[in-house]
Amino acid sequence: MVRPNDLSPTLVAQLSETLGYLNFSSGAHEPHFLRNLNELYAAAASSAEKSPTPPYRVLADLLVAGIERLRQDGSPLGDAAQASAVVPLIFDRVLAGYLDFHRDLLFHQPPEKLFTPLFVGRVAQAVLAAGPPWDEAERIARTAIGQLNDYIGYRPVAQHRSGRKGEPYKHERVRPVPIYIAGVGPDGDRYHDVVELALQILRDADGATLRAAWFDLELLDELAYDPRAYDFDHPVHKRPNHHFGQWDLDLIDQRGFYRRFVVQHVTLDALSSRIDDPQQRKGSPKPKRD
Protein backbone atom coordinates (compact mmCIF):
# COMPACT_ATOMS: atom_id res chain seq x y z
CA MET A 1 0.00 0.00 0.00
CA VAL A 2 1.30 3.43 -0.95
CA ARG A 3 1.41 6.00 1.87
CA PRO A 4 1.70 9.80 1.71
CA ASN A 5 5.29 9.50 2.97
CA ASP A 6 6.09 7.37 -0.09
CA LEU A 7 5.06 10.13 -2.50
CA SER A 8 7.20 12.79 -4.10
CA PRO A 9 6.73 16.41 -2.90
CA THR A 10 4.72 17.14 -6.06
CA LEU A 11 2.35 14.23 -5.43
CA VAL A 12 2.00 15.19 -1.75
CA ALA A 13 0.89 18.66 -2.88
CA GLN A 14 -1.54 17.10 -5.37
CA LEU A 15 -2.92 14.84 -2.64
CA SER A 16 -3.54 17.86 -0.42
CA GLU A 17 -5.25 19.75 -3.27
CA THR A 18 -7.41 16.72 -4.07
CA LEU A 19 -8.55 16.46 -0.46
CA GLY A 20 -9.19 20.19 -0.44
CA TYR A 21 -11.56 19.79 -3.38
CA LEU A 22 -13.34 16.87 -1.72
CA ASN A 23 -13.65 18.84 1.50
CA PHE A 24 -14.99 22.13 0.13
CA SER A 25 -16.50 21.52 -3.30
CA SER A 26 -20.16 21.01 -4.09
CA GLY A 27 -19.34 18.95 -7.19
CA ALA A 28 -18.54 21.65 -9.73
CA HIS A 29 -16.45 20.53 -12.70
CA GLU A 30 -12.81 21.30 -11.88
CA PRO A 31 -10.17 20.08 -14.39
CA HIS A 32 -7.36 20.65 -11.86
CA PHE A 33 -8.96 18.15 -9.48
CA LEU A 34 -9.23 15.55 -12.24
CA ARG A 35 -5.61 16.10 -13.30
CA ASN A 36 -4.45 15.58 -9.72
CA LEU A 37 -6.56 12.44 -9.42
CA ASN A 38 -5.00 11.13 -12.63
CA GLU A 39 -1.50 11.51 -11.16
CA LEU A 40 -2.44 10.00 -7.80
CA TYR A 41 -4.10 7.05 -9.51
CA ALA A 42 -0.90 6.40 -11.48
CA ALA A 43 1.04 6.21 -8.19
CA ALA A 44 -1.63 3.89 -6.77
CA ALA A 45 -1.51 1.70 -9.88
CA SER A 46 2.27 1.42 -9.61
CA SER A 47 1.90 0.25 -6.01
CA ALA A 48 -0.95 -2.11 -6.92
CA GLU A 49 1.30 -4.02 -9.33
CA LYS A 50 2.95 -5.61 -6.30
CA SER A 51 -0.30 -6.63 -4.59
CA PRO A 52 -3.70 -8.12 -5.49
CA THR A 53 -5.44 -4.88 -4.45
CA PRO A 54 -6.91 -3.03 -7.47
CA PRO A 55 -5.63 0.53 -8.10
CA TYR A 56 -8.89 2.26 -7.23
CA ARG A 57 -8.85 0.65 -3.77
CA VAL A 58 -5.21 1.67 -3.27
CA LEU A 59 -6.26 5.20 -4.24
CA ALA A 60 -9.04 5.10 -1.63
CA ASP A 61 -6.56 4.03 1.07
CA LEU A 62 -4.18 6.79 -0.02
CA LEU A 63 -6.91 9.44 0.34
CA VAL A 64 -7.84 8.14 3.80
CA ALA A 65 -4.18 8.17 4.84
CA GLY A 66 -3.86 11.69 3.45
CA ILE A 67 -6.74 12.90 5.62
CA GLU A 68 -5.11 11.38 8.69
CA ARG A 69 -1.80 13.03 7.86
CA LEU A 70 -3.47 16.44 7.53
CA ARG A 71 -4.98 15.98 10.99
CA GLN A 72 -1.65 15.03 12.53
CA ASP A 73 0.17 17.93 10.85
CA GLY A 74 -2.33 20.49 12.12
CA SER A 75 -3.17 21.56 8.57
CA PRO A 76 -6.00 24.08 7.96
CA LEU A 77 -7.67 21.07 6.28
CA GLY A 78 -7.11 19.01 9.41
CA ASP A 79 -10.81 18.82 10.24
CA ALA A 80 -11.68 17.58 6.73
CA ALA A 81 -15.14 16.53 7.93
CA GLN A 82 -16.66 16.56 4.46
CA ALA A 83 -13.74 14.75 2.82
CA SER A 84 -13.79 12.13 5.59
CA ALA A 85 -17.44 11.42 4.81
CA VAL A 86 -17.19 11.68 1.03
CA VAL A 87 -14.27 9.26 0.44
CA PRO A 88 -16.08 6.20 1.88
CA LEU A 89 -19.26 7.23 0.10
CA ILE A 90 -17.40 7.23 -3.22
CA PHE A 91 -15.49 3.98 -2.84
CA ASP A 92 -17.66 1.90 -0.50
CA ARG A 93 -21.20 2.96 -1.35
CA VAL A 94 -21.49 4.47 -4.82
CA LEU A 95 -18.98 2.32 -6.72
CA ALA A 96 -20.36 -0.83 -5.11
CA GLY A 97 -23.92 0.38 -5.66
CA TYR A 98 -23.18 1.15 -9.30
CA LEU A 99 -21.96 -2.41 -9.89
CA ASP A 100 -25.02 -3.82 -8.14
CA PHE A 101 -27.36 -1.56 -10.14
CA HIS A 102 -25.76 -2.82 -13.37
CA ARG A 103 -25.16 -6.43 -12.30
CA ASP A 104 -26.97 -7.65 -15.45
CA LEU A 105 -25.60 -5.05 -17.87
CA LEU A 106 -21.95 -4.95 -16.80
CA PHE A 107 -21.43 -8.45 -15.38
CA HIS A 108 -18.55 -8.98 -17.83
CA GLN A 109 -16.58 -5.93 -16.71
CA PRO A 110 -14.04 -6.29 -13.85
CA PRO A 111 -14.29 -3.37 -11.38
CA GLU A 112 -10.62 -2.45 -11.85
CA LYS A 113 -11.28 -1.81 -15.54
CA LEU A 114 -14.40 0.28 -14.98
CA PHE A 115 -13.15 2.37 -12.08
CA THR A 116 -10.45 4.37 -13.83
CA PRO A 117 -9.19 7.73 -12.46
CA LEU A 118 -11.48 9.92 -14.56
CA PHE A 119 -14.46 7.68 -13.82
CA VAL A 120 -13.72 7.93 -10.09
CA GLY A 121 -13.46 11.69 -10.56
CA ARG A 122 -16.92 11.83 -12.14
CA VAL A 123 -18.28 9.72 -9.29
CA ALA A 124 -16.74 12.12 -6.77
CA GLN A 125 -18.46 15.05 -8.50
CA ALA A 126 -21.79 13.22 -8.44
CA VAL A 127 -21.46 12.42 -4.73
CA LEU A 128 -20.55 16.01 -3.87
CA ALA A 129 -23.47 17.30 -5.97
CA ALA A 130 -25.84 15.03 -4.03
CA GLY A 131 -24.92 17.16 -1.06
CA PRO A 132 -25.14 16.96 2.71
CA PRO A 133 -26.17 15.73 5.17
CA TRP A 134 -23.45 13.15 4.64
CA ASP A 135 -24.94 10.57 6.97
CA GLU A 136 -27.73 9.89 4.45
CA ALA A 137 -25.62 7.36 2.58
CA GLU A 138 -28.48 5.53 0.88
CA ARG A 139 -30.02 8.72 -0.52
CA ILE A 140 -26.66 10.07 -1.68
CA ALA A 141 -25.72 6.79 -3.40
CA ARG A 142 -29.10 6.55 -5.14
CA THR A 143 -28.93 10.17 -6.31
CA ALA A 144 -25.32 9.89 -7.49
CA ILE A 145 -25.94 6.68 -9.45
CA GLY A 146 -28.99 8.25 -11.08
CA GLN A 147 -26.89 11.24 -12.11
CA LEU A 148 -24.11 9.02 -13.45
CA ASN A 149 -26.42 6.94 -15.65
CA ASP A 150 -26.73 9.58 -18.36
CA TYR A 151 -26.09 7.65 -21.60
CA ILE A 152 -28.30 5.41 -23.73
CA GLY A 153 -26.78 5.73 -27.20
CA TYR A 154 -28.53 4.26 -30.21
CA ARG A 155 -31.27 2.08 -28.74
CA PRO A 156 -34.44 1.64 -30.86
CA VAL A 157 -37.46 1.37 -28.59
CA ALA A 158 -40.72 -0.28 -29.62
CA GLN A 159 -43.62 2.16 -29.91
CA HIS A 160 -47.20 1.48 -28.84
CA ARG A 161 -49.93 1.58 -31.48
CA SER A 162 -51.58 4.31 -29.48
CA GLY A 163 -48.62 6.55 -30.31
CA ARG A 164 -47.50 6.68 -26.71
CA LYS A 165 -43.75 7.22 -26.58
CA GLY A 166 -41.78 4.31 -25.16
CA GLU A 167 -38.88 4.77 -22.79
CA PRO A 168 -35.72 2.68 -22.46
CA TYR A 169 -35.46 0.41 -19.45
CA LYS A 170 -33.81 2.46 -16.69
CA HIS A 171 -31.05 -0.10 -16.12
CA GLU A 172 -30.05 0.28 -19.78
CA ARG A 173 -28.68 3.76 -19.17
CA VAL A 174 -25.04 3.72 -18.15
CA ARG A 175 -22.10 6.02 -17.46
CA PRO A 176 -19.55 5.89 -20.32
CA VAL A 177 -16.03 5.51 -18.93
CA PRO A 178 -14.07 8.72 -19.66
CA ILE A 179 -10.72 8.30 -21.39
CA TYR A 180 -10.18 12.00 -22.18
CA ILE A 181 -11.59 15.21 -20.71
CA ALA A 182 -10.88 18.66 -22.13
CA GLY A 183 -8.54 20.62 -19.89
CA VAL A 184 -7.42 17.39 -18.20
CA GLY A 185 -6.00 15.25 -20.98
CA PRO A 186 -6.06 11.49 -21.56
CA ASP A 187 -6.92 9.10 -18.77
CA GLY A 188 -3.80 7.88 -16.97
CA ASP A 189 -4.87 4.25 -17.20
CA ARG A 190 -4.32 1.56 -19.85
CA TYR A 191 -5.79 3.48 -22.82
CA HIS A 192 -3.55 6.52 -22.40
CA ASP A 193 -1.26 5.74 -25.34
CA VAL A 194 -3.94 5.01 -27.91
CA VAL A 195 -5.97 8.08 -26.88
CA GLU A 196 -2.93 10.36 -26.98
CA LEU A 197 -2.03 9.07 -30.45
CA ALA A 198 -5.61 9.48 -31.71
CA LEU A 199 -5.80 13.06 -30.44
CA GLN A 200 -2.49 13.90 -32.11
CA ILE A 201 -3.76 12.50 -35.42
CA LEU A 202 -6.88 14.68 -35.11
CA ARG A 203 -4.80 17.77 -34.31
CA ASP A 204 -2.65 17.15 -37.39
CA ALA A 205 -5.55 16.26 -39.70
CA ASP A 206 -6.57 18.55 -42.53
CA GLY A 207 -9.46 20.84 -41.64
CA ALA A 208 -11.45 19.79 -44.71
CA THR A 209 -11.20 16.14 -43.66
CA LEU A 210 -12.47 16.91 -40.17
CA ARG A 211 -15.34 19.00 -41.53
CA ALA A 212 -16.34 16.16 -43.87
CA ALA A 213 -16.34 13.85 -40.84
CA TRP A 214 -18.32 16.39 -38.79
CA PHE A 215 -15.64 16.34 -36.11
CA ASP A 216 -14.26 19.42 -34.36
CA LEU A 217 -11.72 18.63 -31.65
CA GLU A 218 -12.38 21.99 -30.01
CA LEU A 219 -15.95 20.87 -29.29
CA LEU A 220 -14.89 17.63 -27.64
CA ASP A 221 -15.50 18.00 -23.91
CA GLU A 222 -15.19 14.29 -23.24
CA LEU A 223 -14.13 11.13 -25.03
CA ALA A 224 -15.44 7.98 -23.38
CA TYR A 225 -16.11 4.34 -24.11
CA ASP A 226 -19.35 2.41 -23.77
CA PRO A 227 -18.70 -0.42 -21.27
CA ARG A 228 -21.72 -2.46 -22.37
CA ALA A 229 -21.25 -5.66 -24.34
CA TYR A 230 -21.43 -5.17 -28.11
CA ASP A 231 -22.95 -7.74 -30.45
CA PHE A 232 -21.80 -7.09 -34.01
CA ASP A 233 -24.43 -9.48 -35.37
CA HIS A 234 -27.40 -7.79 -33.73
CA PRO A 235 -29.57 -5.83 -36.23
CA VAL A 236 -29.48 -2.79 -33.93
CA HIS A 237 -25.71 -2.56 -34.47
CA LYS A 238 -25.75 -2.77 -38.27
CA ARG A 239 -25.67 1.00 -38.80
CA PRO A 240 -22.65 2.07 -40.91
CA ASN A 241 -19.63 2.99 -38.77
CA HIS A 242 -21.66 2.75 -35.55
CA HIS A 243 -19.25 0.18 -34.15
CA PHE A 244 -16.47 2.80 -34.22
CA GLY A 245 -18.37 5.25 -32.04
CA GLN A 246 -20.88 8.09 -32.11
CA TRP A 247 -21.62 11.48 -30.63
CA ASP A 248 -23.82 11.40 -27.56
CA LEU A 249 -27.10 12.66 -29.02
CA ASP A 250 -28.41 13.70 -25.60
CA LEU A 251 -25.44 15.88 -24.63
CA ILE A 252 -25.86 19.09 -26.65
CA ASP A 253 -24.70 22.61 -25.84
CA GLN A 254 -26.79 25.76 -26.29
CA ARG A 255 -25.42 26.25 -29.82
CA GLY A 256 -26.62 22.82 -30.91
CA PHE A 257 -23.22 21.04 -30.86
CA TYR A 258 -22.61 17.58 -29.44
CA ARG A 259 -19.92 17.58 -26.75
CA ARG A 260 -19.23 13.94 -25.88
CA PHE A 261 -18.03 11.23 -28.26
CA VAL A 262 -18.50 7.61 -27.17
CA VAL A 263 -16.49 4.79 -28.73
CA GLN A 264 -17.13 1.07 -28.49
CA HIS A 265 -15.05 -0.80 -25.94
CA VAL A 266 -14.26 -3.71 -28.25
CA THR A 267 -12.92 -1.35 -30.93
CA LEU A 268 -10.82 0.50 -28.37
CA ASP A 269 -9.31 -2.77 -27.18
CA ALA A 270 -8.50 -3.77 -30.77
CA LEU A 271 -6.67 -0.48 -31.38
CA SER A 272 -4.79 -0.73 -28.10
CA SER A 273 -3.62 -4.24 -28.90
CA ARG A 274 -1.95 -2.96 -32.06
CA ILE A 275 0.10 -0.56 -29.96
CA ASP A 276 0.89 -3.08 -27.23
CA ASP A 277 1.82 -5.90 -29.61
CA PRO A 278 4.50 -4.95 -32.20
CA GLN A 279 3.77 -8.13 -34.15
CA GLN A 280 0.22 -6.93 -34.83
CA ARG A 281 1.51 -3.60 -36.11
CA LYS A 282 3.78 -5.39 -38.56
CA GLY A 283 0.98 -7.65 -39.74
CA SER A 284 1.06 -11.33 -40.46
CA PRO A 285 4.24 -12.65 -42.06
CA LYS A 286 4.10 -13.12 -45.83
CA PRO A 287 3.95 -16.71 -47.01
CA LYS A 288 7.20 -18.08 -48.42
CA ARG A 289 7.35 -18.85 -52.13
CA ASP A 290 8.64 -22.20 -53.32
Side-chain angles (χ1 to χ4, degrees):
M1 172 181 159
V2 63
R3 309 286 300 183
N5 291 338
D6 302 327
L7 303 177
S8 68
T10 299
L11 283 174
V12 169
Q14 290 175 322
L15 176 60
S16 181
E17 291 171 359
T18 299
L19 294 173
Y21 174 88
L22 295 175
N23 199 52
F24 297 114
S25 176
S26 57
H29 174 61
E30 177 50 65
H32 190 67
F33 161 69
L34 296 173
R35 286 197 299 271
N36 286 340
L37 205 61
N38 232 352
E39 296 295 330
L40 293 170
Y41 185 96
S46 178
S47 172
E49 290 178 355
K50 305 170 186 177
S51 73
T53 307
Y56 74 95
R57 291 303 320 179
V58 177
L59 176 62
D61 293 339
L62 177 60
L63 293 174
V64 171
I67 293 172
E68 184 58 32
R69 173 173 172 162
L70 291 174
R71 286 175 177 157
Q72 293 176 358
D73 292 348
S75 165
L77 292 177
D79 176 24
Q82 178 171 298
S84 298
V86 165
V87 169
L89 282 170
I90 294 170
F91 293 95
D92 298 333
R93 294 302 297 259
V94 176
L95 292 184
Y98 181 83
L99 284 180
D100 183 62
F101 186 88
H102 288 307
R103 59 185 177 274
D104 295 328
L105 192 67
L106 301 179
F107 68 93
H108 62 294
Q109 291 283 9
E112 60 271 19
K113 289 189 176 182
L114 283 176
F115 301 150
T116 61
L118 296 183
F119 186 92
V120 171
R122 291 305 198 199
V123 171
Q125 291 172 341
V127 169
L128 289 165
W134 300 114
D135 58 351
E136 297 180 358
E138 184 175 347
R139 175 192 62 82
I140 291 172
R142 183 174 61 252
T143 302
I145 292 170
Q147 180 180 328
L148 288 166
N149 290 328
D150 64 351
Y151 179 73
I152 188 64
Y154 180 68
R155 287 293 188 274
V157 179
Q159 302 297 312
H160 296 278
R161 279 184 145 187
S162 63
R164 187 176 61 190
K165 184 178 179 181
E167 290 293 333
Y169 180 49
K170 68 176 182 178
H171 286 262
E172 212 177 354
R173 296 186 183 276
V174 71
R175 209 311 166 180
V177 180
I179 50 179
Y180 164 83
I181 293 177
V184 179
D187 184 277
D189 203 32
R190 65 195 184 283
Y191 294 126
H192 176 274
D193 290 349
V194 70
V195 172
E196 191 171 55
L197 181 59
L199 292 172
Q200 190 57 52
I201 291 173
L202 289 171
R203 294 188 190 100
D204 296 339
D206 179 75
T209 301
L210 294 177
R211 285 192 294 273
W214 297 94
F215 198 98
D216 186 346
L217 191 57
E218 296 300 318
L219 296 176
L220 183 64
D221 285 343
E222 180 178 302
L223 177 66
Y225 73 80
D226 186 342
R228 297 173 294 188
Y230 192 85
D231 182 0
F232 283 93
D233 294 326
H234 196 286
V236 169
H237 298 150
K238 292 296 186 181
R239 301 172 70 209
N241 294 327
H242 174 62
H243 54 276
F244 291 110
Q246 63 176 332
W247 288 102
D248 182 353
L249 304 182
D250 293 323
L251 199 62
I252 309 174
D253 66 16
Q254 294 182 346
R255 296 180 295 161
F257 292 111
Y258 301 126
R259 306 305 298 243
R260 178 167 68 186
F261 195 85
V262 182
V263 299
Q264 296 299 338
H265 192 200
V266 64
T267 304
L268 186 62
D269 276 342
L271 292 172
S272 296
S273 68
R274 295 181 66 85
I275 293 178
D276 297 335
D277 185 354
Q279 189 62 39
Q280 289 199 40
R281 294 202 299 272
K282 294 176 183 177
S284 300
K286 294 182 180 179
K288 293 182 179 180
R289 295 181 181 274
D290 294 332

